[in-house]
Amino acid sequence: MKIDKIQALRGPNIWSVQRKKLIQMRLDLEEMEQFPTNKIEGFRERIEAMFPTMIEHRCSEGCRGGFFSRIERGTWMGHVIEHIALEIQTLAGMETGFGRTRETKTPGIYNVVFSYTEENVGLFAAESAVAIAEALIAGTDYNVEADIQKMREIRERVRLGPSTGSIVEEAVARDIPWIRLGTNSLVQLGYGINQMRFQATITCKTSSIAVDIACNKEQTKRMLDMASIPVANGGICVDEEDLTDVIKKIGYPIVIKPLDGNHGKGASINVQQWEDAVEGLAYAKKYSHRVIVEKFITGYDFRVLVIDNKLVAAAKREPAHIKGDGIQTIQQLIDETNLDPKRGYGHENVLTQIDVDRDTIDLLEKLNYTLETVPKKGEVVYLKSTANLSTGGTSIDVTDMMHPENIFLCERISRVIGLDVCGVDIMAENLTQPLKENGGCILEVNAAPGFRMHLAPSEGLPRNVAAPVIDMLYPPGKPSRIPIIAVTGTNGKTTTTRLLAHIVKNNGYKVGFTTSDGIYVQNHMMEKGDTTGPISAEYILKDPTVEFAVLETARGGILRSGLGFSRCDIGIITNIQEDHLGLSDIHTLDDLARVKATVVRSIKKDGWAILNAEDDQCLKIANELSCNVAYFSMDENNPKAKQFSKEGKIVAVYENGFITIKKGEWKIRVERATHVPLTMGGKAKFMIANVLAATLASYLQGFKTDDISLSLQTFIPSAAQTPGRMNIFEFKKFKVLIDFAHNPAGYKGVEEYLSSIEATKKIGIIAGVGDRRDEDIKECATIAARMFDHIIIRQEKHLRGRTEEEIIGLIMEGIAESGKTVTHEIIKKEVEAIKHAIDNAEDGSFITALSDVVTNAIEIVQEYLDKENEGSEN
């Protein structure tokens, strides 16, 4: 078997709009296409022995053991690999259960699709599943456990931490979208101007001064002391001389820790003699030049969490430890403790496995113990000097036991330091008494405190401490999203997108939009190029100035990695015509429609899908949608348009020369088409269709018809405003039209427009696109022969696997099939072809360049026009 391609889908996609995170693997079964599982001797027994837990895979049988039944009867290896990929992720602690396997139009080649929780793990699982299947086929050994451990390691390297993850989960539960900014824990909640950011538990509302204060233990201690808050006595040291002075002042036992440390790194506790103090100083200085030395306070270690100046949780923390049984060694007891199902690798479970490190050895040495020592029965041996959960510590929830005085104290501390998310470390016998009575004190105040001990304590009530963070960032009434209109279809996407952006901008919004020529924010081009995929959509949604997004959404990006947004308010399908067929397993119009439908299937339930009432594929799609549906039609008397109007649906139509919205029998005439510059005086019928779609979307968004009308009249088509979309350059003796038409439907639109143009000679400059079907290239050439008197064939770009000669040959066949006598010549380079046409243009001629690289064509023609204008001025 051979893997042709593996890709990660990250948004709504052709397989599912709900399950956004999917791996899609294109798998060539090669000779295994001839060997379903029932023809492989012993396969059922081997896979069941390797994965006994697969008994829970119900598969299409819908019952326990269903997948094994399928194997018994015979199923193909792509299906088996799908189930293996899901199972090994589950065994690695990432339970996920959605999968699909479908054969492509090419026999023996399958798309194997399965869900993932961590992308890098999913990609690894795809390759691992194929390797495991090959071992099962051959009956050879395979170390599955090694792959499972590797997946755990990948997950720990790339996953969000438990604190960050909990905030994201709470946001998702409240339908707040999120974007991970990079590979660390920096996360954006919400879109555009309504976004909020946080990293770990530091939010965009966190004061940087407060963080600096909390990170400076000396400054924190001084401020708390001045506010009459109990703190441990001590001082700052940089060398042994300072250490001597502090110890003389406060006496033993002491605690030594880095001044700028966190998570307990570099700390030594309960130090009782000079040699250990010197060693602790050196250890702490590895993490910070200045070291804080404090009196060691006996009692228990408590962490209190305050969010938005309100106490939300408190936990008693205990360092990693074992309890002797008088029989086993310390190492054996550690191993036994790590067998607890609550403990796992990294952050995968409630508790973390206990690892032996320098801190462990030092603590044992102080007791004159080694890992081979057998502790007495009932003896507690501490293995870490700090109670962090990440080093194997445990926590007990004590939120409901806190004395009101201590609650007041902790909430006051958060205000004194100025932290919105504040972790207060307390050493005391208990929190049920005021600290001033039991002698407890504040050890530290932490910016970015961990949530894990509160989310999943080893004992006591779990606390949803992420909820108050979201309450703080998004109080009631504050939106997290911005309006999104997504535009897809075969032709007209870019023009419709640009017109919509113009209407939105005129209605007072700061608009961001993506097109096939670039990313724009408030009409400023931010990035140049074909930007119609999910990365470009995300670019707009990450921009903090954008109040409204209009996103051109093309086929390629959807197939490559899904949509770049979780859902949209309005989705438009302009039309579905034959284009890009034969690519990426899209062979028919039905296949293409399934891709385009992804956009409208992702519309929110009370949003609107805007569909072409004259397009059969659009009408099919409408039947499967759960949102509102509105239609547009160039013909008021179109049977479907009339039917929808009778049913009370909203329909935009072109009637009696007007752009009109119909609600039942009521008509709202928005503007006369001849007053809309984009329609070329009403001659460019396909442009009128684009105007109808944009007008309908604007109306459904809630914009007033007067404002829409004004925007339609002020949107002037030009090389700057709509590059490559019916750009006309008027020379003194002839005209040049540049258009991006590159498929039969686009050519027909230009043909219809040219039929209304009077010219002494119509000259066309055309080319083929190498990755299109033979019949598409020939049909474009046939249409060109119908609308032009003379054709210049050029072919230097977009060969995509073909030779120039092959494409030109297909164009020549298409011209011949037209049955019309038309002169032609071949000038392979686009620049030379355009220059030749202009240099030899006759009076009254009309040159049309159908260019797949519009920028080059526009620059050349504009340069000629500028020279002519300069000449007339002179």
Side-chain angles (χ1 to χ4, degrees):
M1 293 182 290
K2 183 179 71 176
I3 298 172
D4 288 342
K5 182 170 66 173
I6 304 176
Q7 59 199 93
L9 307 179
R10 305 179 188 94
N13 53 74
I14 60 172
W15 304 100
S16 174
V17 292
Q18 284 81 34
R19 297 174 179 90
K20 302 171 181 65
K21 298 166 71 170
L22 298 176
I23 296 296
Q24 180 177 314
M25 172 169 58
R26 186 177 168 85
L27 181 68
D28 187 348
L29 294 190
E30 297 181 318
E31 70 277 2
M32 291 312 299
E33 173 67 3
Q34 309 306 319
F35 293 93
T37 51
N38 61 339
K39 291 187 178 181
I40 304 170
E41 190 176 343
F43 187 85
R44 156 78 190 262
E45 291 74 20
R46 289 194 292 273
I47 193 170
E48 197 165 356
M50 183 177 282
F51 298 110
T53 48
M54 272 192 179
I55 191 74
E56 302 299 335
H57 288 219
R58 304 170 74 87
C59 203
S60 57
E61 305 294 291
C63 60
R64 191 170 185 266
F67 176 60
F68 286 148
S69 297
R70 289 289 305 277
I71 287 177
E72 189 72 38
R73 293 203 311 274
T75 187
W76 270 260
M77 206 47 63
H79 182 208
V80 173
I81 286 167
E82 169 205 321
H83 279 266
I84 293 173
L86 292 169
E87 183 64 14
I88 57 178
Q89 288 184 91
T90 298
L91 293 172
M94 291 159 278
E95 190 159 347
T96 180
F98 176 82
R100 293 283 184 274
T101 299
R102 298 288 182 267
E103 188 173 16
T104 67
K105 292 288 193 299
T106 308
I109 295 182
Y110 292 75
N111 280 318
V112 179
V113 178
F114 58 89
S115 52
Y116 65 86
T117 57
E118 294 294 339
E119 182 178 313
N120 288 14
V121 174
L123 294 170
F124 179 88
E127 295 186 358
S128 174
V130 174
I132 291 169
E134 288 176 329
L136 287 167
I137 292 165
T140 56
D141 292 336
Y142 192 93
N143 190 348
V144 176
E145 190 52 48
D147 281 7
I148 290 171
Q149 180 57 26
K150 177 71 174 176
M151 286 191 283
R152 289 185 183 128
E153 291 170 5
I154 294 171
R155 176 197 58 199
E156 291 306 309
R157 190 171 69 244
V158 302
R159 78 187 300 186
L160 294 172
S163 302
T164 310
S166 70
I167 297 172
V168 167
E169 286 173 15
E170 180 64 22
V172 170
R174 301 188 190 194
D175 197 32
I176 296 171
W178 67 283
I179 301 171
R180 189 172 185 175
L181 303 175
T183 56
N184 56 18
S185 291
L186 181 60
V187 171
Q188 173 185 315
L189 299 177
Y191 288 152
I193 198 168
N194 292 323
Q195 67 181 263
M196 291 285 172
R197 296 175 188 163
F198 71 96
Q199 183 161 20
T201 57
I202 290 181
T203 77
C204 52
K205 290 180 173 288
T206 303
S207 160
S208 59
I209 294 175
V211 173
D212 283 345
I213 292 169
C215 290
N216 186 324
K217 292 180 173 60
E218 181 184 21
Q219 179 70 33
T220 301
K221 195 172 173 182
R222 187 183 306 119
M223 289 182 68
L224 295 180
D225 190 37
M226 290 170 63
S228 304
I229 294 167
V231 292
N233 290 327
I236 303 299
C237 301
V238 295
D239 52 31
E240 291 183 21
E241 184 179 343
D242 293 337
L243 183 63
T244 302
D245 292 341
V246 173
I247 291 174
K248 282 181 180 178
K249 177 182 170 185
I250 65 174
Y252 291 109
I254 59 172
V255 175
I256 305 171
K257 53 190 175 183
L259 183 65
D260 303 321
N262 56 32
H263 300 298
K265 292 176 182 176
S268 301
I269 65 170
N270 198 15
V271 176
Q272 306 205 30
Q273 56 185 11
W274 175 251
E275 292 78 10
D276 292 339
V278 171
E279 190 176 323
L281 176 67
Y283 181 43
K285 283 179 71 67
K286 289 180 181 179
Y287 297 90
S288 174
H289 175 65
R290 302 174 75 204
V291 172
I292 191 164
V293 178
E294 295 175 336
K295 184 73 175 177
F296 175 65
I297 308 295
T298 58
Y300 296 103
D301 183 353
F302 294 95
R303 163 63 64 82
V304 177
L305 182 63
V306 182
I307 297 175
D308 202 18
N309 306 128
K310 297 180 185 67
L311 186 140
V312 297
K316 177 182 174 183
R317 303 187 296 177
E318 195 165 19
H321 63 278
I322 50 92
K323 185 179 285 188
D325 60 4
I327 300 171
Q328 299 182 86
T329 65
I330 291 173
Q331 182 63 63
Q332 288 171 332
L333 291 166
I334 291 172
D335 294 340
E336 186 178 87
T337 301
N338 283 340
L339 292 175
D340 182 348
K342 289 183 180 178
R343 292 190 182 270
Y345 183 82
H347 294 140
E348 71 178 354
N349 284 344
V350 174
L351 300 173
T352 301
Q353 291 178 348
I354 301 171
D355 292 326
V356 175
D357 58 10
R358 176 199 176 281
D359 190 24
T360 308
I361 301 301
D362 287 351
L363 287 172
L364 293 179
E365 283 178 355
K366 289 176 182 177
L367 298 170
N368 292 319
Y369 284 179
T370 69
L371 291 171
E372 299 308 311
T373 300
V374 177
K376 296 175 186 175
K377 186 174 182 178
E379 180 185 0
V380 175
V381 179
Y382 287 100
L383 304 170
K384 303 292 177 186
S385 56
T386 60
N388 295 86
L389 266 67
S390 57
T391 57
T394 58
S395 68
I396 301 169
D397 179 71
V398 296
T399 308
D400 296 332
M401 302 178 191
M402 281 193 72
H403 192 280
E405 188 75 22
N406 292 334
I407 294 174
F408 169 77
L409 181 73
C410 292
E411 291 180 347
R412 185 161 172 261
I413 287 169
S414 73
R415 290 185 182 275
V416 168
I417 303 303
L419 287 170
D420 59 338
V421 182
C422 178
V424 182
D425 289 346
I426 300 173
M427 185 64 72
E429 285 299 322
N430 58 65
L431 294 183
T432 57
Q433 294 175 286
L435 295 190
K436 61 187 178 185
E437 292 183 11
N438 64 18
C441 69
I442 307 304
L443 297 180
E444 286 182 14
V445 177
N446 296 275
F451 285 2
R452 187 179 172 203
M453 70 189 77
H454 308 295
L455 294 165
S458 42
E459 291 180 41
L461 189 67
R463 306 283 172 172
N464 181 7
V465 294
V469 175
I470 300 297
D471 291 339
M472 176 179 67
L473 297 178
Y474 288 101
K478 179 177 172 57
S480 62
R481 297 175 181 267
I482 59 173
I484 297 174
I485 299 179
V487 183
T488 193
T490 302
N491 295 313
K493 297 187 296 294
T494 300
T495 303
T496 304
T497 298
R498 283 183 166 275
L499 177 56
L500 270 168
H502 178 74
I503 296 169
V504 171
K505 182 174 181 289
N506 284 357
N507 275 271
Y509 288 91
K510 292 184 174 67
V511 62
F513 60 100
T514 61
T515 69
S516 56
D517 55 81
I519 300 174
Y520 297 80
V521 175
Q522 281 296 85
N523 283 350
H524 295 277
M525 180 184 275
M526 313 308 295
E527 294 286 339
K528 188 175 183 178
D530 188 346
T531 57
T532 55
I535 293 173
S536 305
E538 200 171 86
Y539 182 105
I540 291 295
L541 299 176
K542 288 193 292 191
D543 191 299
T545 67
V546 171
E547 298 172 339
F548 200 120
V550 183
L551 306 173
E552 181 180 345
T553 308
R555 166 206 61 89
I558 297 172
L559 289 170
R560 191 166 53 251
S561 50
L563 298 178
F565 48 86
S566 56
R567 69 163 186 254
C568 56
D569 299 81
I570 295 176
I572 300 172
I573 301 181
T574 56
N575 47 67
I576 299 174
Q577 305 290 334
E578 292 186 344
D579 193 17
H580 298 282
L581 298 183
L583 303 174
S584 304
D585 296 319
I586 305 302
H587 297 278
T588 66
L589 270 182
D590 285 342
D591 294 339
L592 186 59
R594 189 162 67 99
V595 179
K596 304 290 186 184
T598 304
V599 170
V600 290
R601 283 165 52 223
S602 70
I603 297 169
K604 64 181 185 178
K605 287 207 169 179
D606 59 346
W608 288 89
I610 295 175
L611 305 176
N612 189 332
E614 299 169 20
D615 191 298
D616 290 340
Q617 293 294 337
C618 284
L619 296 174
K620 287 181 191 175
I621 290 169
N623 295 326
E624 63 184 54
L625 299 180
S626 57
C627 63
N628 299 307
V629 181
Y631 299 87
F632 65 94
S633 172
M634 286 290 293
D635 180 7
E636 182 187 14
N637 295 313
N638 174 281
K640 287 293 181 181
K642 290 176 75 174
Q643 175 193 327
F644 296 142
S645 290
K646 283 182 180 178
E647 292 171 357
K649 292 184 170 65
I650 300 176
V651 183
V653 295
Y654 178 51
E655 56 88 26
N656 295 317
F658 282 90
I659 306 297
T660 300
I661 293 171
K662 292 183 69 177
K663 295 179 72 175
E665 295 304 315
W666 289 91
K667 290 183 180 179
I668 305 170
R669 286 182 168 174
V670 179
E671 189 52 71
R672 190 180 288 277
T674 53
H675 294 174
V676 180
L678 191 58
T679 70
M680 307 289 178
K683 295 175 182 177
K685 301 299 184 188
F686 59 94
M687 283 297 188
I688 296 175
N690 297 334
V691 172
L692 286 170
T695 299
L696 185 52
S698 305
Y699 176 79
L700 294 172
Q701 182 60 37
F703 299 148
K704 295 177 181 177
T705 53
D706 286 350
D707 293 335
I708 298 171
S709 171
L710 181 61
S711 296
L712 295 179
Q713 293 176 65
T714 56
F715 186 74
I716 312 298
S718 66
Q721 182 84 288
T722 53
R725 275 73 187 175
M726 299 297 287
N727 302 144
I728 295 178
F729 299 82
E730 297 198 16
F731 289 77
K732 290 177 182 175
K733 297 181 178 180
F734 57 90
K735 294 179 182 178
V736 177
L737 166 68
I738 295 175
D739 194 81
F740 189 61
H742 57 280
N743 56 44
Y747 270 54
K748 285 175 183 175
V750 174
E751 180 186 22
E752 185 179 12
Y753 172 72
L754 288 180
S755 67
S756 65
I757 298 297
E758 290 186 10
T760 56
K761 189 175 186 180
K762 295 177 183 177
I763 301 163
I765 303 171
I766 67 170
V769 182
D771 59 2
R772 301 304 197 270
R773 300 177 304 174
D774 289 3
E775 55 263 43
D776 296 331
I777 296 173
K778 288 196 286 186
E779 186 179 355
C780 284
T782 300
I783 298 166
R786 290 202 306 257
M787 61 177 159
F788 298 127
D789 303 311
H790 178 72
I791 294 175
I792 299 173
I793 302 169
R794 58 99 188 159
Q795 193 68 52
E796 60 173 322
K797 294 176 178 147
H798 297 272
L799 301 179
R800 296 174 184 172
R802 297 188 192 247
T803 63
E804 290 179 17
E805 290 71 22
E806 184 182 359
I807 298 173
I808 291 171
L810 290 169
I811 292 172
M812 297 292 289
E813 285 182 41
I815 292 172
E817 288 175 9
S818 72
K820 179 186 170 187
T821 303
V822 56
T823 59
H824 65 269
E825 57 187 312
I826 299 171
I827 302 175
K828 290 186 178 180
K829 292 188 179 298
E830 180 181 45
V831 173
E832 293 176 9
I834 293 173
K835 286 182 176 179
H836 174 76
I838 293 175
D839 289 339
N840 294 280
E842 301 172 8
D843 286 2
S845 59
F846 196 100
I847 301 167
T848 302
L850 301 180
S851 176
D852 44 11
V853 188
V854 295
T855 309
N856 296 351
I858 289 169
E859 288 174 356
I860 297 161
V861 176
Q862 189 64 57
E863 188 180 324
Y864 266 87
L865 189 59
D866 291 344
K867 284 180 181 176
E868 182 179 275
N869 292 335
E870 287 170 11
S872 62
E873 288 174 8
N874 295 331

